[in-house]
Amino acid sequence: MTRYSKQTRLLLAIDCIIFGFDGSNIKLLIIKRGMEPEKGRWSLMGGFLQPKESLKECANRVLNQLTGLEGVYLEQLRTFSEYDRDPVERTVSVAYFALIDINKYEKQLSHDYSAEWFLLSEKPKLIFDHDEMVKLAQKQLRYKASLHPILFELLPEKFTIPQLQGLYEGVYDTSFDNRNFSRKVLSTGLLVKQKEKDKLSSKKGAFYYKLDKKKYKANFQAFLNFIPNPDKFIT
Amino acid sequence: MTRYSKQTRLLLAIDCIIFGFDGSNIKLLIIKRGMEPEKGRWSLMGGFLQPKESLKECANRVLNQLTGLEGVYLEQLRTFSEYDRDPVERTVSVAYFALIDINKYEKQLSHDYSAEWFLLSEKPKLIFDHDEMVKLAQKQLRYKASLHPILFELLPEKFTIPQLQGLYEGVYDTSFDNRNFSRKVLSTGLLVKQKEKDKLSSKKGAFYYKLDKKKYKANFQAFLNFIPNPDKFIT
DNA sequence: ACAAAAGTGTTACACGTACACCCATGG
DNA sequence: CCATGGGTGTACGTGTAACACTTTTGT
């Protein structure tokens, strides 16, 4: 016996929901689709699973094609399988969500794919079930960030606490008390204070911090509480 | 154009990690595999995705085949895709985890599949990557149960608070202060007190409770805190 | 000097935890 | 009437939220 008989074979693909933070807002990186059908319409970056490739490898490969980045934060979200989600032929797609430092990616590659960053509120309609994927990814981003320090993945190596707060406020579309926020964040011991200040966004200037990578990895699964009343923000 | 050219097609399957609670311990329902290869060895219950069927439908169908149950709590866990995970032919599998009331399933069907309940500590080795799936499901069970009231899915309609506590203690392999536990649980307002008591497990007897289904559904996403120091139990 | 943002100090209070104690009942 | 498990009362401490106030510096 070399094959399972009487079973249908089908295509398997991945799609990436790529989030970045421009300093003020969360943005989504999408491309203009390069193949038929729906050629030229807005779409998530995706690709077909290759022989001998795992889904994770596939997602990393596809993400690298678009951004030039490696070692990006990438999380399997869910597998989408409605039989008619792709009109050409049955294709099941595994959605991955990625968090990248918006300053690090190679703009040239994005250009090749006619990629663009969009505010979530200004995102055009996407093909197939990609809008649903984005919606779920947003929900998962809020959920996970309310418990674990994933949002650091969106920031550059050095950042200030007001910047971090702005990021959290963007994700949850609300505002926090800055005094309590900074104390909470610092009390985790995850941040290492630098000597320089960022003087651009205020006169007094805010100290830069770096992540203590060891502690970050060690405490990744521990529950945080940067957000008061997280229940309110998770649907 | 009717097909995507030059792409590999493959099989897609689902596997179910089925948990139950026997009153004292969490158990796992597994079967003796009915087809080659590995025929007769212990395996998760699974099945191939059919044309025009979504993965969720597939998982429900397969679960129903084994247990006779419908409307079971079922959650997509992760998709497993190592290219050589099934030696016969490339098959990607979506793992679902299910929580069932152990008293409700139809034993006859289980018998047909040579299914048996195992304590997690006494589980035999499973085929392919199924052990990894079980491990992940266990982790997810602990994680999710620390935040959301999913463990009620494992109990019969009427249950006592000591029973509920025993369940939590089983899942986290620890013990809690019964006085604080009952107060915490009752303070959620999720439980409706019944008039009868369970007199089997103690002389005084413990009141039965039922879930307030409306509140249960409405508050499902809200964060609970039945477990002190949850960090300790989540890896 | 003043405005504007960063950051500190202080207080009130909710909540979780610990534990003494009371309750109900079968043997 | 006592042992056993169910359940209530209460006191203590930690952590969170609210907010007055100080610091720094560019204009």
Side-chain angles (χ1 to χ4, degrees):
Chain A
M1 171 170 162
T2 54
R3 303 256 284 172
Y4 293 109
S5 57
K6 296 187 188 165
Q7 298 299 338
T8 319
R9 277 119 193 121
L10 44 74
L11 286 170
L12 199 56
I14 67 100
D15 285 299
C16 291
I17 300 99
I18 306 168
F19 291 115
F21 179 64
D22 69 1
S24 306
N25 293 288
I26 292 285
K27 292 191 163 180
L28 178 71
L29 186 62
I30 53 179
I31 65 166
K32 279 193 173 155
R33 181 165 160 106
M35 64 165 95
E36 293 296 346
E38 306 280 12
K39 185 168 176 174
R41 288 194 46 209
W42 291 106
S43 160
L44 295 172
M45 180 69 179
F48 291 109
L49 182 67
Q50 299 302 307
K52 304 219 173 179
E53 186 184 51
S54 71
L55 284 164
K56 194 174 191 174
E57 286 160 359
C58 180
N60 273 302
R61 172 175 59 76
V62 166
L63 193 65
N64 179 264
Q65 267 173 40
L66 179 62
T67 65
L69 297 173
E70 291 185 2
V72 167
Y73 182 88
L74 203 56
E75 183 179 327
Q76 188 180 306
L77 192 60
R78 214 186 77 192
T79 300
F80 288 76
S81 60
E82 290 302 313
Y83 79 94
D84 55 356
R85 55 177 295 285
D86 185 322
V88 171
E89 142 174 31
R90 184 156 200 193
T91 307
V92 167
S93 176
V94 183
Y96 275 82
F97 96 82
L99 303 179
I100 73 176
D101 174 355
I102 206 167
N103 303 300
K104 272 198 193 151
Y105 81 110
E106 293 179 30
K107 293 206 171 71
Q108 179 54 45
L109 292 168
S110 285
H111 189 261
D112 295 347
Y113 286 94
S114 313
E116 272 182 47
W117 289 99
F118 282 89
L119 287 175
L120 288 162
S121 55
E122 295 173 1
K123 173 188 73 62
K125 193 178 169 330
L126 307 181
I127 61 164
F128 302 170
D129 50 4
H130 289 192
D131 284 323
E132 196 190 336
M133 292 179 181
V134 172
K135 216 167 156 185
L136 184 65
Q138 243 185 297
K139 197 172 142 187
Q140 172 69 359
L141 181 66
R142 281 193 172 196
Y143 186 93
K144 188 130 189 189
S146 77
L147 297 166
H148 306 290
I150 55 172
L151 296 187
F152 290 109
E153 302 287 342
L154 293 165
L155 292 171
E157 204 187 354
K158 288 191 304 183
F159 54 87
T160 67
I161 291 182
Q163 276 166 24
L164 181 66
Q165 183 174 347
L167 171 53
Y168 273 86
E169 292 180 338
V171 170
Y172 294 98
D173 192 25
T174 183
S175 59
F176 305 119
D177 183 297
N178 61 333
R179 302 158 286 190
N180 291 332
F181 184 84
S182 74
R183 243 175 322 206
K184 262 190 192 178
V185 169
L186 291 174
S187 75
T188 62
L190 249 46
L191 299 190
V192 183
K193 196 173 191 169
Q194 305 298 296
K195 291 192 175 141
E196 324 96 88
K197 280 184 168 187
D198 165 37
K199 311 275 286 184
L200 295 171
S201 47
S202 81
K203 292 167 183 174
K204 181 173 176 183
F207 280 104
Y208 281 114
Y209 287 84
K210 282 189 187 178
L211 252 189
D212 181 329
K213 296 244 164 106
K214 271 191 189 169
K215 283 193 185 167
Y216 175 64
K217 284 182 186 167
N219 294 345
F220 194 81
Q221 79 300 344
F223 292 132
L224 299 181
N225 182 22
F226 293 167
I227 296 114
N229 301 316
D231 290 19
K232 270 202 289 195
F233 303 105
I234 315 290
T235 46
Chain B
M1 171 172 161
T2 54
R3 303 256 287 170
Y4 293 110
S5 57
K6 296 188 187 166
Q7 298 298 339
T8 318
R9 278 121 193 117
L10 42 74
L11 286 170
L12 199 55
I14 67 99
D15 285 301
C16 291
I17 301 98
I18 306 168
F19 291 115
F21 179 63
D22 69 2
S24 305
N25 293 287
I26 291 285
K27 291 189 163 182
L28 178 71
L29 186 62
I30 52 180
I31 65 166
K32 279 194 173 154
R33 180 164 160 105
M35 65 164 95
E36 292 296 347
E38 306 280 11
K39 185 168 176 174
R41 290 193 46 209
W42 291 106
S43 161
L44 294 172
M45 179 71 178
F48 290 108
L49 182 67
Q50 300 301 308
K52 303 217 172 182
E53 184 183 53
S54 72
L55 284 164
K56 194 173 191 173
E57 287 160 359
C58 179
N60 274 301
R61 171 175 59 76
V62 166
L63 193 65
N64 179 263
Q65 268 173 39
L66 178 62
T67 64
L69 297 173
E70 290 186 1
V72 167
Y73 182 89
L74 203 57
E75 182 178 329
Q76 188 180 306
L77 191 60
R78 212 186 78 191
T79 300
F80 288 76
S81 60
E82 288 302 313
Y83 79 95
D84 55 356
R85 55 177 295 284
D86 184 323
V88 171
E89 131 171 47
R90 183 155 202 195
T91 307
V92 167
S93 176
V94 183
Y96 275 82
F97 96 82
L99 303 179
I100 73 174
D101 175 355
I102 206 167
N103 303 301
K104 271 196 194 152
Y105 80 110
E106 293 178 31
K107 291 207 171 69
Q108 179 53 45
L109 291 169
S110 284
H111 189 260
D112 295 346
Y113 285 96
S114 313
E116 272 182 46
W117 289 99
F118 282 89
L119 286 176
L120 288 162
S121 56
E122 295 171 1
K123 173 188 72 63
K125 194 181 169 327
L126 307 181
I127 62 164
F128 303 168
D129 49 4
H130 289 192
D131 284 322
E132 196 190 335
M133 291 179 180
V134 172
K135 217 168 155 185
L136 185 65
Q138 242 184 299
K139 199 172 140 188
Q140 173 68 0
L141 181 66
R142 280 193 173 196
Y143 186 93
K144 189 130 188 187
S146 78
L147 298 166
H148 306 289
I150 55 171
L151 296 187
F152 290 109
E153 302 287 342
L154 293 165
L155 291 171
E157 204 187 354
K158 288 192 302 184
F159 53 87
T160 67
I161 291 184
Q163 275 167 25
L164 181 67
Q165 184 174 348
L167 170 54
Y168 273 86
E169 292 180 339
V171 169
Y172 294 98
D173 191 26
T174 185
S175 59
F176 305 120
D177 184 297
N178 61 333
R179 302 158 286 189
N180 292 332
F181 185 83
S182 73
R183 244 175 321 205
K184 261 189 193 180
V185 169
L186 291 174
S187 74
T188 62
L190 249 46
L191 299 191
V192 183
K193 196 173 191 167
Q194 305 298 298
K195 288 186 179 149
E196 324 97 88
K197 280 185 168 187
D198 165 38
K199 313 274 286 183
L200 295 171
S201 48
S202 81
K203 292 166 184 175
K204 180 173 177 182
F207 280 104
Y208 280 114
Y209 287 83
K210 282 189 187 178
L211 254 190
D212 182 329
K213 296 247 164 104
K214 269 191 190 169
K215 283 194 185 168
Y216 175 65
K217 283 182 187 170
N219 294 342
F220 194 81
Q221 80 300 341
F223 292 131
L224 300 181
N225 184 21
F226 294 167
I227 294 114
N229 300 316
D231 290 19
K232 270 203 289 196
F233 302 105
I234 315 291
T235 47

